[in-house]
Amino acid sequence: DSGVTQTPKHLITATGQRVTLRCSPRSGDLSVYWYQQSLDQGLQFLIQYYNGEERAKGNILERFSAQQFPDLHSELNLSSLELGDSALYFCASSVGLAGRRGGEQYFGPGTRLTVT
Amino acid sequence: GQNIDQPTEMTATEGAIVQINCTYQTSGFNGLFWYQQHAGEAPTFLSYNVLDGLEEKGRFSSFLSRSKGYSYLLLKELQMKDSASYLCAVRFMDSNYQLIWGAGTKLIIKP
């Protein structure tokens, strides 16, 4: 158990809909990262927040947005869903900014999103 | 952009040793991570290298050569539970210190 929690574990929804994925980082971690992993594909970095502020953006679509709240939990919002958005969405957390010593990320169990 | 190269798939025998290689561009290098990911599960952190040399953790060791842009993960005394994907991720200063992930090496262990 990494200490990172994600809800829900599974989500099935229809095209065009909007969903929200939730993540709580490990106690004491200030950075939260979101990743997308499609079937048999590598991890695609979406976005990072550090202590409530957006820190870095990866290959995140305009239909997707995220935020980190004062209690450090984060939400990833996916809208106008398409079939191709079906994937595992992982949240990870780390103590500080990515450039610090170590900086290893700890991953939550993921949310499996199925768009039908 | 930076590319992280690792073999797509490897096969090894239970009880044996396997070495999974990872290569990257050296410019801006700031650290290398190895993760294990079982199918459908979250990646779990295995090791971190930032200086040249070998880091040993039980049956797993990771090696880094910064000048060659090369790392390997060495798995000894292979067990069936080691069947998983192994992800190499590199942190670069000029990508805002974000991790650039390799596509992963799927390791198949045969009895």
Side-chain angles (χ1 to χ4, degrees):
Chain A
D1 184 355
S2 68
V4 179
T5 61
Q6 287 186 249
T7 56
K9 280 193 174 181
H10 301 277
L11 199 49
I12 301 174
T13 189
T15 54
Q17 295 298 305
R18 172 190 168 96
V19 297
T20 297
L21 313 183
R22 183 187 168 104
C23 166
S24 292
R26 293 188 317 160
S27 177
D29 285 359
L30 298 179
S31 277
V32 169
Y33 310 78
W34 285 99
Y35 292 89
Q36 179 193 58
Q37 188 174 41
S38 302
L39 190 64
D40 292 334
Q41 298 293 310
L43 281 171
Q44 295 295 318
F45 168 66
L46 296 178
I47 198 163
Q48 178 203 358
Y49 281 82
Y50 174 76
N51 204 19
E53 295 192 4
E54 183 183 304
R55 188 71 186 178
K57 260 186 175 178
N59 300 320
I60 189 166
L61 300 172
E62 286 191 12
R63 300 184 285 110
F64 295 0
S65 64
Q67 55 184 328
Q68 186 180 29
F69 295 86
D71 67 352
L72 300 178
H73 91 271
S74 177
E75 293 181 357
L76 178 67
N77 300 297
L78 313 176
S79 61
S80 302
L81 285 168
E82 302 174 358
L83 295 178
D85 298 327
S86 295
L88 261 173
Y89 290 85
F90 289 109
C91 165
S93 72
S94 65
V95 171
L97 292 171
R100 295 293 174 87
R101 178 178 172 77
E104 58 269 21
Q105 298 176 20
Y106 293 88
F107 285 75
T111 293
R112 182 173 294 283
L113 173 66
T114 303
V115 182
T116 61
Chain B
Q2 295 96 345
N3 284 327
I4 311 300
D5 293 316
Q6 43 179 143
T8 302
E9 187 174 297
M10 298 181 72
T11 302
T13 305
E14 190 177 14
I17 299 173
V18 71
Q19 177 175 311
I20 302 174
N21 296 328
C22 172
T23 58
Y24 61 89
Q25 295 168 263
T26 59
S27 175
F29 173 82
N30 189 253
L32 185 144
F33 300 80
W34 283 98
Y35 284 79
Q36 180 192 60
Q37 185 179 25
H38 286 99
E41 299 183 8
T44 55
F45 170 70
L46 290 177
S47 67
Y48 169 68
N49 295 73
V50 68
L51 299 176
D52 291 348
L54 190 67
E55 295 280 342
E56 296 188 78
K57 271 189 183 181
R59 295 189 299 114
F60 292 7
S61 303
S62 57
F63 171 82
L64 177 68
S65 168
R66 288 173 296 169
S67 63
K68 295 183 179 177
Y70 168 69
S71 173
Y72 67 71
L73 181 69
L74 192 71
L75 291 74
K76 303 176 186 175
E77 301 168 14
L78 287 169
Q79 302 175 9
M80 296 304 291
K81 68 178 182 179
D82 297 330
S83 292
S85 287
Y86 291 85
L87 311 178
C88 173
V90 181
R91 185 171 59 206
F92 294 96
M93 290 185 285
D94 50 358
S95 65
N96 199 22
Y97 295 94
Q98 292 307 312
L99 294 185
I100 306 299
W101 293 81
T105 298
K106 184 176 180 179
L107 178 63
I108 300 167
I109 310 296
K110 295 187 173 179

